[in-house]
Amino acid sequence: MAILIRNRILATTALCALLAATGAQAAADAGAIEARLRALEAEIAKLRKEAREAKAQAAAASNAASKATNVANAAHVKTDPAAPPPAPPVFVSFRNGIFVETEDKAYSFKVGGRMQFDGGGITQPLNGFSNQVGVRQVRLEVEGKAAKVWFYKLQYDFSGTPQVTGNNQVISGIRDFFFGIQHPAMTLPWSTDPIFIMVGNQFEPFTMEFTASSRFRSFIERAMAVEGIGASRHIGLAAGAYGDNWSAKAGVFSTSPEDASLNPGQNTPSTWGVPKAAGWVSTGGAQYVELTGRATYAPIKDEHNLLHIGASGRYHSPNDATGLSDDRVLRIGNRLRSEATVLGQGLLGTPDLSCGSYALAGFYGGIPTSSVAGHCVRDVVSYGVEIAAAHGPFDMQAEYIATDYSRDMNKILQARASGVFAPGGSSEHFSGYYVYGHYWLTGDERATAYTTSDKAGANFIEPKIKNPVSAGGFGAFGLVSRYSAINLNSGPYSGTGLANMMTWATYVQPNAVNQAIIANSGVYGGRQENVTTGFDWYPDRGIHLQFNWTHVLHVSAPLNDYNIVGSFLPQRQGFYMNGAHPDLFEARAQVYW
């Protein structure tokens, strides 16, 4: 019994000792944790104090600089009261071009530019494989603001890339060249952002892809419908406004430095402005005039998701313009190069719809140009709708564009009677569209590049590169694919059927009357469908590399591929375009700043 009691006493003593040790350890651990928390609190307090001191020092430095400027200005005025004060401090950055801005942000200017080098190869229907390299754009630009409310931009292209069928050059290297005002007092009732008014050479607000900068397009060249029917840059007066998710712009425009000729038809009697008593008739001409507008809205817009919709409209009055001075509209499609400009494959194009007289430059391969306005076109109305969307690394874009020509049938018949090739009737309709998809393999997102504040209207700018090559990443790398189509035929015949009928009427059973009936039954500028695939890569900010492979799914030769010299004689390509499926391979290396 004594032994049992002793054992219980020993066990109880051991248990008490164990509990005491455990409590002591717990108390020690709690004390250590409390000490660490106190140390962290002290460190946080120290960091907060340092942050406050740094902020105070920065404020003091700014105040000192301002005070020094004020003292210097006061001393300057005291020395010479009539002289202006010295300039305030300025901010200078070389991150992307040269950017200079005054301390109060009232004045700024930026010097930028771009260089684009294109090259590739093409399988043509007649000539087999050929290749070409060239400089697509070499541009310098200066833009900025003055007195807080004025803005300006001058952009000049030194490349001289052939653009125009006929003379193979553009008239001037001037591209963007405008100035304007955006005053805080000029606001709409439903927006806090001021409207802007601008004058000069600028993109007309028509379609999304034409107004997008070539620096940031997903494909090397615009889709055929956009390039063929779009309005490009013109000299004009425009007004615009924008908000966080909407934009609108409209204006009146005329001559463009990118026109094939800056003068309208000559030897055109003036209908007003010269009194009959003067005894002579004016022989000048009036250039074309356009009224154009575009509006956009983004019902979904955040960092990862976007839904954009828009609509454009344009009214075009040719006046005394001809296919020479107004070739984009009156010889629609003649600038198209199968979505690979440097390779030069032009398969489409209408004759001069204004019925200007032709001057043939040769029996084969001659380019018809007009010198006298035939006034066969009363006016032209163009319109388009657009949609763009983005969700994470995937984005897409699509547009439908059409144009309707109202023509004077009496003028058309007069032109035919005088021997001018004047096909078609009182109204013609041409249209086209495209749709493309873009997937970023590197996880980048195009929704972050969407902006509504650009003076050309809502569009995409440079994407935010998550992992640039300079930081050890792969840049922003994406795969692209596009389907595009344009139809410049407006009549009962097209394609192989048209070519076969002309062959029959010209060679099998020659008959001038049948030739004229077939040729004049409609306007046949050709039809083309392309599919393009490739990649789009931004290794670092300011560098853009692209590759496109375009396969022509369908092409119908235009009737304009015939020389009109009494009878219809085929040019080299006249009978071969139907059924051909050329492949175009093009790459671009671009740097911009």
Side-chain angles (χ1 to χ4, degrees):
M1 187 66 179
I3 294 174
L4 181 59
I5 293 173
R6 186 184 61 183
N7 290 339
R8 287 182 177 179
I9 293 173
L10 291 174
T12 301
T13 303
L15 178 60
C16 291
L18 179 60
L19 290 175
T22 302
Q25 182 63 39
D29 291 342
I33 292 173
E34 184 178 359
R36 292 181 61 186
L37 288 175
R38 290 177 178 174
L40 290 174
E41 289 176 352
E43 184 66 23
I44 291 172
K46 180 181 178 182
L47 292 174
R48 288 176 176 173
K49 182 180 178 182
E50 292 176 352
R52 287 194 298 268
E53 291 176 351
K55 185 176 181 180
Q57 290 175 1
S62 177
N63 293 335
S66 299
K67 184 177 180 180
T69 301
N70 294 334
V71 171
N73 292 345
H76 184 77
V77 170
K78 185 176 180 180
T79 303
D80 186 3
V90 297
F91 170 79
V92 181
S93 172
F94 298 94
R95 182 178 180 184
N96 190 21
I98 302 175
F99 178 75
V100 179
E101 186 177 50
T102 58
E103 184 183 34
D104 59 0
K105 298 184 179 182
Y107 296 84
S108 70
F109 76 88
K110 176 189 174 185
V111 179
R114 74 189 71 171
M115 296 185 292
Q116 295 176 353
F117 303 94
D118 293 359
I122 181 175
T123 59
Q124 297 181 5
L126 292 179
N127 301 330
F129 180 82
S130 64
N131 65 283
Q132 182 63 276
V133 295
V135 178
R136 185 68 170 87
Q137 294 180 5
V138 178
R139 297 185 182 181
L140 287 178
E141 61 187 41
V142 177
E143 61 180 319
K145 60 185 177 182
K148 292 187 178 181
V149 299
W150 300 95
F151 59 88
Y152 60 89
K153 184 175 182 180
L154 167 61
Q155 184 185 79
Y156 195 89
D157 193 346
F158 296 88
S159 64
T161 303
Q163 295 287 310
V164 182
T165 300
N167 60 6
N168 288 326
Q169 61 182 354
V170 293
I171 295 301
S172 171
I174 295 175
R175 296 297 179 262
D176 290 334
F177 188 22
F178 56 78
F179 74 94
I181 184 172
Q182 189 170 21
H183 197 283
M186 300 162 47
T187 60
L188 296 171
W190 60 86
S191 176
T192 58
D193 293 299
I195 65 174
F196 60 87
I197 300 174
M198 54 194 296
V199 61
N201 197 54
Q202 58 190 286
F203 273 125
E204 289 193 25
F206 189 78
T207 82
M208 186 174 196
E209 186 163 270
F210 215 123
T211 55
S213 172
S214 62
R215 295 170 296 171
F216 313 128
R217 286 199 303 259
S218 298
F219 294 82
I220 295 176
E221 300 291 352
R222 302 181 183 97
M224 292 182 293
V226 177
E227 191 69 52
I229 305 176
S232 190
R233 295 179 179 88
H234 287 81
I235 299 172
L237 173 67
Y242 55 83
D244 181 62
N245 62 346
W246 64 274
S247 71
K249 184 180 178 181
V252 55
F253 306 90
S254 186
T255 310
S256 169
E258 296 179 73
D259 284 342
S261 171
L262 300 183
N263 299 313
Q266 298 301 304
N267 301 316
T268 303
S270 176
T271 57
W272 60 277
V274 178
K276 294 181 179 180
W280 56 278
V281 177
S282 172
T283 57
Q287 186 63 293
Y288 60 87
V289 176
E290 296 186 334
L291 300 174
T292 311
R294 175 176 177 242
T296 71
Y297 175 61
I300 300 175
K301 178 180 175 290
D302 58 43
E303 188 177 354
H304 306 289
N305 302 282
L306 173 72
L307 177 61
H308 160 102
I309 55 176
S312 306
R314 176 177 58 153
Y315 173 81
H316 180 97
S317 177
N319 297 323
D320 296 319
T322 68
L324 179 62
S325 61
D326 189 14
D327 66 296
R328 285 186 181 274
V329 175
L330 299 180
R331 294 181 61 222
I332 184 172
N334 280 271
R335 295 199 185 196
L336 295 179
R337 294 295 178 267
S338 301
E339 300 174 340
T341 299
V342 71
L343 301 179
Q345 179 174 262
L347 306 180
L348 306 178
T350 71
D352 185 353
L353 299 177
S354 73
C355 302
S357 61
Y358 284 84
L360 293 176
F363 194 75
Y364 289 99
I367 304 299
T369 59
S370 57
S371 58
V372 179
H375 299 104
C376 286
V377 177
R378 289 193 178 98
D379 54 56
V380 183
V381 176
S382 305
Y383 45 93
V385 292
E386 63 195 51
I387 183 172
H391 176 65
F394 174 78
D395 59 85
M396 62 81 61
Q397 186 172 308
E399 292 189 84
Y400 172 82
I401 310 169
T403 182
D404 295 324
Y405 288 70
S406 174
R407 306 175 78 206
D408 188 330
M409 199 64 207
N410 291 329
K411 295 291 185 181
I412 295 173
L413 294 177
Q414 291 175 16
R416 292 177 186 173
S418 65
V420 174
F421 182 41
S426 60
S427 62
E428 308 295 343
H429 172 83
F430 310 111
S431 63
Y433 61 93
Y434 74 88
V435 58
Y436 74 71
H438 191 168
Y439 184 77
W440 297 94
L441 297 178
T442 49
D444 299 85
E445 300 176 74
R446 203 177 186 208
T448 61
Y450 181 77
T451 179
T452 58
S453 61
D454 191 284
K455 295 298 187 295
N459 225 307
F460 293 99
I461 57 176
E462 184 181 44
K464 294 182 180 179
I465 305 172
K466 292 184 176 181
N467 299 295
V469 171
S470 59
F474 292 97
F477 187 91
L479 299 179
V480 295
S481 183
R482 177 177 67 190
Y483 174 83
S484 65
I486 188 170
N487 188 353
L488 299 180
N489 290 333
S490 181
Y493 313 118
S494 65
T496 303
L498 175 64
N500 290 340
M501 292 179 67
M502 289 306 304
T503 302
W504 169 78
T506 304
Y507 298 105
V508 180
Q509 293 185 2
N511 187 306
V513 174
N514 289 338
Q515 292 175 10
I517 292 174
I518 297 170
N520 292 322
S521 62
V523 175
Y524 301 105
R527 181 169 68 90
Q528 189 170 345
E529 300 173 36
N530 291 351
V531 61
T532 301
T533 187
F535 68 78
D536 187 28
W537 185 25
Y538 294 84
D540 271 288
R541 185 179 184 186
I543 300 176
H544 193 184
L545 306 178
Q546 294 172 282
F547 172 78
N548 289 172
W549 168 25
T550 298
H551 177 69
V552 179
L553 294 174
H554 173 86
V555 60
S556 298
L559 191 59
N560 198 37
D561 266 345
Y562 291 82
N563 278 321
I564 314 303
V565 189
S567 62
F568 291 86
L569 299 176
Q571 294 187 18
R572 294 178 301 162
Q573 300 178 350
F575 293 114
Y576 290 92
M577 288 301 154
N578 302 296
H581 303 283
D583 288 288
L584 302 94
F585 304 89
E586 186 178 23
R588 168 172 292 175
Q590 176 179 194
V591 58
Y592 54 89
W593 59 93

